[in-house]
Amino acid sequence: MSSYSIARVPGDGTGPEVVGEAVKVLDVAAEVHDFETEYNDLELGGERYLRTNETLTGADLQALGSADAILFGAVGHPQVPPGVLEQDILLRMRRELDQFINLRPVKLHPGVKGPLRYVRPEDVDFMVVRENSEGLYAGQGEFTAKGSPFEVAVQQSVNSRFAVERCIRYAFDLAGSRPRRHLTLCGKTNVLTYAWDLWSRVFQEVSAEYPHVETSYAHVDAACLWMVEDPGRFDVIVTDNMFGDIITDLAAAIQGGLGIASGANINPNGVSMFEPIGGTAPGFEGTGLINPLAAIGAAGMMLRILGEVVAADAVESAVGEVAGSLPSLRAGEMGISTTEVGDRVASLVAEPEKAGTPA
Ligand code: IPM
Ligand code: MN
């Protein structure tokens, strides 16, 4: 029987509640699909930082790096200045563990009332491949004449051929594995003439190796418009770090909100991290009103990458079914509590023959 060692990082805010529901579903999936999970708990986040001044130590990285996968809640604390935990935990983890792909699936499940009244569920089923190691997130730049009226702040976007190419290859492989086999490069070639010149050239070159994958290009501003007006044109989108950050929040909105938006920070040759992308949801901690489906969906993505494909399919379809049964996916509007949502998913995973009947 396969056994997986999972680094569990509940984190701050609503993180612990939603990770708890994800683990509930994983336990059931393990039982039904015959694998074992073993959790190694790590305390990362605001409470520990305030207590010890530590964010992510060498020992933490060691523990994360030796797991089979990382299940992550959220970090962020009202008493910690913005940026500290994000930079020192999230961004550092991505960098140190070389999680160079940020993968975010976007799906409007049947029955979910999204904000777009003329978009049908079959029109929203795409994946965003976000470059996760450089671009504007490289932290390069400078101030000149800081504090003076002549101050200039420069923030540089770093685009190495190596990182661009590995990201684009990942996206082509993914697109080639999906029924539609379509990949859209999302950039800004008309203005950002260095970065997107490189991206376009690499995209062209790599596309020659994937003749079975159809390609297209969209400027990022137009991609935002189409995501709202005509999302059916997208299958897989590949883009840089900053654009990917922005368009995946928009994409989360069109699938019903952050309550169901899952993501994975992937090192295809190492340890990947799975998370709900919505953050700590300040004000909802401890209320039982937060939607755990994003975290449960992240656990499903984790199973897929661990190779438990049948279990991953079961979790994904249960998430979709439960999503469609709720009046809204937004925190406080689900009609049932966080744990009840988790119970519904767990019972569908436990008894898949129940799927398709109303919850
Ligand atoms: C995300 C988040 C992070 C990012 C923040 C918290 C640093 O917004 O994962 O999308 O910008 O990447
Ligand atoms: Mn973001």
Side-chain angles (χ1 to χ4, degrees):
M1 192 191 306
S2 304
S3 176
Y4 306 103
S5 143
I6 297 164
R8 173 165 56 185
V9 184
D12 299 316
T14 52
E17 288 157 76
V18 298
V19 167
E21 298 310 306
V23 168
K24 181 194 282 179
V25 172
L26 284 170
D27 286 347
V28 172
E31 183 81 33
V32 175
H33 297 278
D34 223 26
F35 61 88
E36 273 173 6
T37 50
E38 171 209 315
Y39 293 96
N40 177 17
D41 283 302
L42 273 87
E43 185 198 7
L44 301 179
E47 299 293 338
R48 172 168 166 204
Y49 174 71
L50 291 169
R51 206 175 60 239
T52 64
N53 217 31
E54 288 168 352
T55 46
L56 190 66
T57 61
D60 295 327
L61 279 170
Q62 176 73 35
L64 293 167
S66 58
D68 292 317
I70 303 163
L71 185 62
F72 195 90
V75 291
H77 194 286
Q79 275 133 263
V80 180
V84 172
L85 302 172
E86 293 91 327
Q87 295 274 345
D88 289 4
I89 298 177
L90 272 180
L91 299 184
R92 185 137 174 264
M93 199 190 296
R94 289 175 189 173
R95 210 168 37 242
E96 299 275 350
L97 300 178
D98 204 16
Q99 294 164 341
F100 61 84
I101 296 294
N102 197 321
L103 182 65
R104 297 186 167 177
V106 185
K107 197 170 170 132
L108 180 64
H109 294 285
V112 171
K113 286 153 214 69
L116 306 175
R117 67 189 142 77
Y118 46 84
V119 166
R120 302 162 304 169
E122 56 267 38
D123 297 327
V124 183
D125 186 3
F126 61 91
M127 287 194 138
V128 179
V129 175
R130 164 183 173 190
E131 201 289 318
N132 213 29
S133 68
E134 49 178 42
L136 281 168
Y137 281 66
Q140 292 199 22
E142 61 178 2
F143 295 111
T144 41
K146 190 170 182 183
S148 83
F150 312 103
E151 174 166 358
V152 177
V154 175
Q155 187 92 42
Q156 292 167 330
S157 172
V158 176
N159 299 262
S160 68
R161 185 177 173 107
F162 173 76
V164 169
E165 184 172 337
R166 67 183 176 176
C167 176
I168 285 176
R169 280 188 187 282
Y170 183 92
F172 269 103
D173 283 334
L174 177 66
S177 75
R178 289 169 55 94
R180 281 178 62 192
R181 296 182 179 170
H182 188 110
L183 179 62
T184 303
L185 177 67
C186 170
K188 192 71 185 173
T189 53
N190 51 351
V191 176
L192 306 179
T193 50
Y194 297 100
W196 290 95
D197 185 86
L198 174 63
W199 276 81
S200 304
R201 278 185 283 120
V202 175
F203 189 78
Q204 288 298 327
E205 277 175 39
V206 175
S207 88
E209 294 171 37
Y210 293 81
H212 53 293
V213 176
E214 197 191 337
T215 59
S216 58
Y217 170 79
H219 290 317
V220 62
D221 47 348
C224 290
L225 180 93
W226 288 329
M227 235 179 244
V228 172
E229 291 201 334
D230 183 21
R233 68 171 70 210
F234 298 120
D235 178 21
V236 177
I237 297 175
V238 62
T239 190
D240 77 359
N241 211 339
M242 187 80 258
F243 292 163
D245 178 47
I246 298 166
I247 70 171
T248 53
D249 266 34
L250 177 58
I254 68 167
Q255 64 176 351
L258 289 170
I260 193 162
S262 314
N265 293 268
I266 297 175
N267 175 345
N269 318 111
V271 185
S272 302
M273 182 272 243
F274 303 84
E275 59 175 350
I277 75 171
T280 52
F284 284 102
E285 58 273 25
T287 61
L289 296 173
I290 193 74
N291 190 339
L293 289 177
I296 300 172
M301 295 179 81
M302 181 176 87
L303 291 177
R304 189 168 307 283
I305 288 196
L306 289 173
E308 296 294 335
V309 178
V310 180
D313 285 344
V315 172
E316 249 174 49
S317 85
V319 164
E321 182 148 343
V322 172
S325 76
L326 299 174
S328 162
L329 300 180
R330 295 160 64 98
E333 299 175 12
M334 300 184 296
I336 56 173
S337 70
T338 305
T339 53
E340 285 168 329
V341 174
D343 289 345
R344 277 197 197 180
V345 179
S347 79
L348 288 175
V349 171
E351 292 182 77
E353 60 277 12
K354 273 198 194 151
T357 57

